[in-house]
Amino acid sequence: MLERFIDLVFRNRLLVVIGFVLVSALGGWRMYHTAVDAFPDTTPIQVQVNAVAPSLNPTEIEQQLTLPLELAISGLPGLDNVRSISKFGFAQIVAIFDDGTDIYDARQLVMERVAGVSLPPGIGPPTLGPIATGLGEIFHYTLSSTSPDRTLDELRTLHDWVVKPELRKIAGVAEINSWGGFERQYHVVVDPQSLVEHDLSIGQVFDALAQNNHNVGGGQVVRSGESLLVHGIGRVSTLDEIGGIVLKARGGTPVLIRDVAEVTLGHEIRRGAVTAQGAGEAVLGLGFMLMGENSKDVTEALRQRLETVRASLPDDVVLTTVYDRSELVRSVLDTVTHNLVAGTALVILVLFLLLGRLRAGLIVAMAIPLAMVFAILGMYELAIAASLLSLGAIDFGIIVDGSVVVTESNMRSLAARQRQLGRRLTSAERLSSIVQSTKEVARPVVFGMGIILVVFIPVLTLEGIEGKMFRPMAWTFIFAMLGALVVAITLSPILSYYLLPRRARERESRLAEVLQRAYGRLLATALDRRGWVCVGLAALIPMTAVIASRLGGEFQPKLTEGSMVINTIRLAGVSIDEAAAYNTRIEQLLLAEFPDEIRHVWSRIGTAEVATDPMGIELTDIFIALNPRQEWQRARSQAELVRVMQEVLDDLPAVNMVFTQPIEMRLNEMVSGIRSDVGIKIIGDDLEELRRLSDEVQETLLAVDGA
C-alpha cells in the first residue's frame, strides 16, 4: 500500500508541491486566528453566584442566603461539587461542573434554580459572575488624579460612567470590574428628635422617598390632530429635590424631608480599596476576557480603546495601564519563535556537517516549518491556544527524523546508481532511483514515527487539571509529527529529485568519517570488555534509583510571568483606612529599595464591585509589574528577587506575606478556592472546636521541612 502511494505521489509530484504551498498558506492564515495565551487554562467549568445583603452578619448570611442557594443548585446535571463563602453582607457560591459541560448551559441551569429561591425581604436578586476563567483577568489599569481637590468619589464615578461603558463594548470582554474609590449614594440621615417633634415615623420617611422618586405615564391627549404625551416627572436627581419631598402637612404647612433629616452625598459601605505607586488611594479597573477568546487580541483592543478614552477625561485625571497580559504573551511568542528559528538553524548546520550537503540539510529542515503548519491547523480545529507549553514542547530533532532517513537514503541511492553506471544519471534514472530508495525506507519511517505517536496516547487519556494542561501539548505534538511524516514520505523525496546535485558525491563528509571511526573504536573496546560493561551498567541502575528517590517532584515548573503578587495577611478586624495606609507605606518602601526592578506597584484590599475574588479586609494583594530583567540591579532572576524582597519586608510588624504570581494565584484560587499549594479544610458545627483543631494542624504543618 505504501509503495502504491509513493508511486502515486511521484506521478503527481507537481500537484503535491502545489498542495503543500496551499496548505502552508492556509496554515499562515490560521496562525493569525489561533488563540494565543501564556499558559494552558486549567480552570474547571464553573459558575459563580453572588448575593449581597448589607445588613446581615456572616452567620445570618450562611443561614439565610448561602444554605438556600446551595440547596437549590444541588442535583443539577453534570454538577461536580459546590463550595461557598459567607462574609459580612455577602455570599458567594461556586458551582463546578464536569469538563464536558457547556458553560452557557451550566449558567442557564444555575440561573433557573437560583431564580426560584425565596430570599428574605430587602435582599436583591443573586447575580452570576462573569463568563471568565482563571486566565480571564488580563488587564489592570488605575485612575488617579494630580489635583488635591479631586475626590475618590469623582474618580469612581468617572470610571463607572465614562471608562467602563467604553471598554465593555469591546468584543471578547466578559466584564470590566471596578475596585476601590467610593460608589456615590444619596444619604438621608434622619434626626430621631425631629421625627418625634413632627409626629412622624421612620416608615413614613421611607414611604415618602419611595413614592416621590419615580416617573409615571398618563397616556396621550389628542388635540387638533396632534398627539401629546402625558408624563408625570417625579424622579429626584439633586440634594435639594430630595430635601423638598413632602412628608405631610401640619397646620397648612408642609413638613419636608429636610425638616427631619440631613440630605448629603455619601457612599456605599466599602468592602475594598486600592492604593497605587505609594501615592495613596486610587480606582482600579479590571478587564476580564470572555471564555474561549484570544487573550492577545482582546488585550490589544482594551489597550487601544483605553487610549481613546483617555482623551475624554479631565486633564488632572491620570489613566495608567499597570498590568497587560499581552506583554507576557509577546514574551512567550518570542520564546517560541526563537526556539523555531534556532532549532531550524541548528538542524541545518548539523545536517550540513553530517551529510556534507547544504541542499540536503535544507531539504530536511523544510520538515520543521511544514510540521508547524500542520500543528497550527490542528490546534485551530480543536481550539487549542498557542502557548509556551503547547508549542514550546515540540522537539525538532524528532520532527526531522523521517526526513533525515529518507533524504540520506536518496543520497546513497543516487551515489550507488551513479557508481554502477559510471556516469551522471538522466532525469528518468534519478527519478527511478529516488522512488526505489523511498519505498525501501518508507515502512521503517512510518513505523518509527508511529511508535513515537503511540507514546502520547496515555497523555490524551488524562482528565481534570492534568488533562487540561498536558493534552494540548500532546495534540500539538501529534499534529506536528503527522505533518512531519507526510513531509518525509511525500515532499522530501520530491525535493530530493529536484534539488540534490546532479553529480552525487560518493564519500562521506569528513565529520561523519571522524565520528564513524571514533564510534568503531569505542564499539570494539566495549565488545572486548563486555563483562565490565555489563557490571558497570548493573551498578548504575541501583545508584540511579537512589538518586531519583531523592530528587523530589513538581507537577509543573513555574512560568516566570514578569509580574509578582504579594499576598498580605493582617489581623482580622483591621479597618480599610488603616490597611490602605499600611499598603501605601509598603509600596513606598518597595519603590525606594527596588527602583530599577519595579515599574508599577498597586494593592487591592478586600472585594471588588463584582466579587470575583471575595477577600476580607484583612487580606491584600500587592501587585508588582517588573521592568525587563536586563535593567535589574539587585537580582539576576525572579526567584532571587523574591528572596531579596522578603529580606526587605521581613521586619514589617503585624503582617504575613506570601509571594506568588498573577496567573498562578488566580488558577490556584479558582480551581480549589484557596491560594496556597496545600489546603486543609476542617468541617464541623462547633466553632471553638474548629479553632482548636486548626491550631493543632498549624503547629503540625509548621514542623514540616520546607513549609
Side-chain angles (χ1 to χ4, degrees):
M1 181 177 178
L2 275 176
E3 294 181 355
R4 289 196 299 271
F5 175 73
I6 293 171
D7 288 333
L8 178 65
V9 166
F10 274 92
R11 283 197 301 270
N12 301 277
R13 50 188 180 274
L14 184 58
L15 291 178
V16 171
V17 173
I18 294 174
F20 271 99
V21 171
L22 295 177
V23 168
S24 300
L26 178 61
W29 183 78
R30 292 296 196 200
M31 181 175 65
Y32 286 101
H33 295 82
T34 300
V36 179
D37 216 323
F39 198 77
D41 195 343
T42 60
T43 310
I45 302 298
Q46 57 181 316
V47 180
Q48 286 184 348
V49 181
N50 299 320
V52 178
S55 60
L56 301 183
N57 62 40
T59 303
E60 294 171 327
I61 289 287
E62 177 73 23
Q63 295 171 348
Q64 300 183 38
L65 281 181
T66 308
L67 186 58
L69 291 174
E70 277 193 17
L71 293 176
I73 293 173
S74 300
L76 287 175
L79 185 66
D80 187 26
N81 65 78
V82 178
R83 65 172 185 263
S84 63
I85 185 169
S86 301
K87 293 180 175 291
F88 174 73
F90 174 76
Q92 182 179 87
I93 297 91
V94 179
I96 300 176
F97 290 81
D98 296 335
D99 289 340
T101 306
D102 182 80
I103 181 62
Y104 297 99
D105 291 342
R107 291 173 67 88
Q108 178 68 24
L109 292 170
V110 170
M111 199 66 244
E112 289 176 356
R113 289 287 186 91
V114 167
V117 177
S118 298
L119 298 177
I123 298 176
T127 59
L128 301 187
I131 311 174
T133 67
L135 294 181
E137 191 175 318
I138 59 174
F139 200 74
H140 292 188
Y141 57 92
T142 59
L143 267 76
S144 57
S145 176
T146 57
S147 171
D149 299 327
R150 181 76 64 181
T151 65
L152 288 172
D153 178 304
E154 294 172 328
L155 287 176
R156 177 64 181 266
T157 302
L158 281 171
H159 179 260
D160 289 349
W161 294 97
V162 178
V163 180
K164 183 175 179 177
E166 286 297 316
L167 297 185
R168 291 191 68 174
K169 296 176 184 178
I170 297 174
V173 171
E175 178 65 49
I176 301 296
N177 208 348
S178 303
W179 203 321
F182 299 109
E183 187 172 359
R184 180 177 295 179
Q185 290 182 337
Y186 292 94
H187 286 182
V188 178
V189 184
V190 177
D191 180 10
Q193 184 64 34
S194 298
L195 286 180
V196 173
E197 292 175 358
H198 292 89
D199 192 24
L200 291 168
S201 66
I202 191 70
Q204 290 175 289
V205 176
F206 273 106
D207 292 341
L209 289 170
Q211 294 172 5
N212 289 273
N213 187 30
H214 61 270
N215 299 336
V216 295
Q220 294 178 337
V221 174
V222 179
R223 185 182 62 185
S224 301
E226 181 182 8
S227 176
L228 302 176
L229 176 66
V230 179
H231 193 199
I233 306 298
R235 187 174 297 280
V236 294
S237 58
T238 66
L239 297 178
D240 289 339
E241 290 177 354
I242 297 174
I245 292 176
V246 177
L247 291 171
K248 72 174 187 178
R250 187 175 184 181
T253 303
V255 179
L256 308 179
I257 288 289
R258 66 170 64 96
D259 296 329
V260 298
E262 179 185 5
V263 182
T264 62
L265 281 176
H267 58 83
E268 186 184 28
I269 296 176
R270 288 216 291 174
R271 292 181 290 144
V274 172
T275 60
Q277 290 298 103
E281 288 197 51
V283 174
L284 177 69
L286 294 85
F288 287 85
M289 178 185 70
L290 193 67
M291 181 182 294
E293 291 292 329
N294 189 327
S295 65
K296 180 175 178 291
D297 293 344
V298 176
T299 307
E300 290 178 351
L302 284 169
R303 186 173 61 252
Q304 293 171 4
R305 184 64 60 87
L306 210 61
E307 293 297 326
T308 305
V309 174
R310 185 178 283 113
S312 62
L313 296 175
D315 293 337
D316 63 289
V317 176
V318 180
L319 187 58
T320 307
T321 301
V322 291
Y323 177 73
D324 184 345
R325 178 72 61 75
S326 63
E327 296 179 359
L328 178 59
V329 173
R330 281 195 297 270
S331 177
V332 169
L333 291 178
D334 289 343
T335 301
V336 173
T337 303
H338 175 268
N339 289 346
L340 177 61
V341 174
T344 304
L346 184 61
V347 166
I348 294 174
L349 176 61
V350 172
L351 291 174
F352 173 69
L353 293 175
L354 294 178
L355 298 178
R357 296 286 184 181
L358 178 60
R359 296 183 187 181
L362 292 175
I363 292 171
V364 173
M366 284 292 294
I368 296 177
L370 291 174
M372 294 300 296
V373 167
F374 279 83
I376 291 295
L377 292 174
M379 292 167 63
Y380 182 86
E381 295 301 326
L382 294 186
I384 296 174
S387 67
L388 187 61
L389 194 61
S390 60
L391 289 180
I394 295 178
D395 188 335
F396 297 122
I398 298 178
I399 291 295
V400 300
D401 273 352
S403 294
V404 168
V405 173
V406 172
T407 305
E408 173 72 11
S409 175
N410 292 335
M411 289 179 60
R412 289 182 175 275
S413 177
L414 291 174
R417 183 65 170 164
Q418 178 179 285
R419 184 172 61 252
Q420 179 184 4
L421 298 178
R423 58 175 171 80
R424 292 179 59 177
L425 303 180
T426 64
S427 296
E429 291 169 343
R430 282 173 57 83
L431 181 61
S432 174
S433 178
I434 288 177
V435 170
Q436 186 60 35
S437 63
T438 301
K439 290 180 179 179
E440 291 174 356
V441 298
R443 189 178 299 275
V445 167
V446 171
F447 276 103
M449 300 184 77
I451 290 172
I452 298 174
L453 293 175
V454 170
V455 173
F456 285 92
I457 292 179
V459 180
L460 298 178
T461 63
L462 295 175
E463 298 180 351
I465 297 175
E466 60 274 19
K468 290 185 176 183
M469 182 168 291
F470 294 114
R471 276 203 306 266
M473 178 269 294
W475 277 119
T476 304
F477 200 94
I478 287 172
F479 292 136
M481 285 294 293
L482 290 175
L485 178 59
V486 173
V487 171
I489 62 176
T490 59
L491 188 62
S492 290
I494 292 176
L495 294 180
S496 297
Y497 169 72
Y498 286 117
L499 300 180
L500 285 180
R502 297 294 176 177
R503 182 176 293 278
R505 192 172 63 181
E506 300 184 18
R507 61 191 301 267
E508 300 280 357
S509 67
R510 293 183 179 179
L511 179 59
E513 292 176 351
V514 170
L515 292 176
Q516 286 182 359
R517 286 198 299 269
Y519 173 68
R521 288 195 295 268
L522 180 62
L523 180 60
T525 303
L527 291 174
D528 291 340
R529 295 173 174 81
R530 50 188 176 275
W532 288 106
V533 172
C534 293
V535 171
L537 291 175
L540 281 176
I541 293 175
M543 291 173 57
T544 305
V546 172
I547 294 174
S549 65
R550 298 181 179 181
L551 284 178
E554 190 172 9
F555 174 67
Q556 170 66 29
K558 286 190 177 182
L559 172 68
T560 300
E561 301 178 20
S563 300
M564 294 192 300
V565 181
I566 307 176
N567 299 141
T568 305
I569 304 124
R570 300 181 176 88
L571 294 175
V574 65
S575 68
I576 285 186
D577 294 335
E578 176 62 26
Y582 204 159
N583 288 345
T584 299
R585 291 197 292 272
I586 294 175
E587 292 166 2
Q588 293 170 348
L589 176 61
L590 289 171
L591 289 170
E593 292 287 337
F594 304 95
D596 300 308
E597 288 78 13
I598 296 178
R599 183 168 75 250
H600 297 293
V601 56
W602 67 102
S603 305
R604 309 189 316 194
I605 307 168
T607 304
E609 175 191 26
V610 178
T612 55
D613 189 5
M615 300 188 299
I617 303 301
E618 72 280 1
L619 301 177
T620 295
D621 293 334
I622 302 176
F623 282 76
I624 301 173
L626 300 173
N627 287 317
R629 192 168 300 180
Q630 57 268 24
E631 299 179 13
W632 295 3
Q633 298 296 325
R634 300 190 60 177
R636 290 175 296 179
S637 66
Q638 189 164 311
E640 183 179 350
L641 182 61
V642 168
R643 288 195 295 271
V644 177
M645 286 186 176
Q646 285 176 326
E647 294 173 359
V648 172
L649 300 175
D650 274 346
D651 295 334
L652 295 176
V655 61
N656 292 327
M657 296 187 178
V658 179
F659 285 77
T660 180
Q661 301 181 100
I663 295 178
E664 181 183 359
M665 178 187 69
R666 290 291 295 161
L667 287 176
N668 285 342
E669 187 170 32
M670 293 196 75
V671 168
S672 61
I674 57 175
R675 299 183 175 188
S676 58
D677 294 328
V678 178
I680 298 176
K681 296 183 179 181
I682 307 172
I683 301 171
D685 298 326
D686 189 340
L687 292 179
E688 293 300 323
E689 180 65 14
L690 291 176
R691 186 176 291 110
R692 185 189 66 80
L693 292 173
S694 67
D695 291 340
E696 291 184 5
V697 170
Q698 182 182 19
E699 293 176 0
T700 303
L701 294 179
L702 287 174
V704 176
D705 292 337

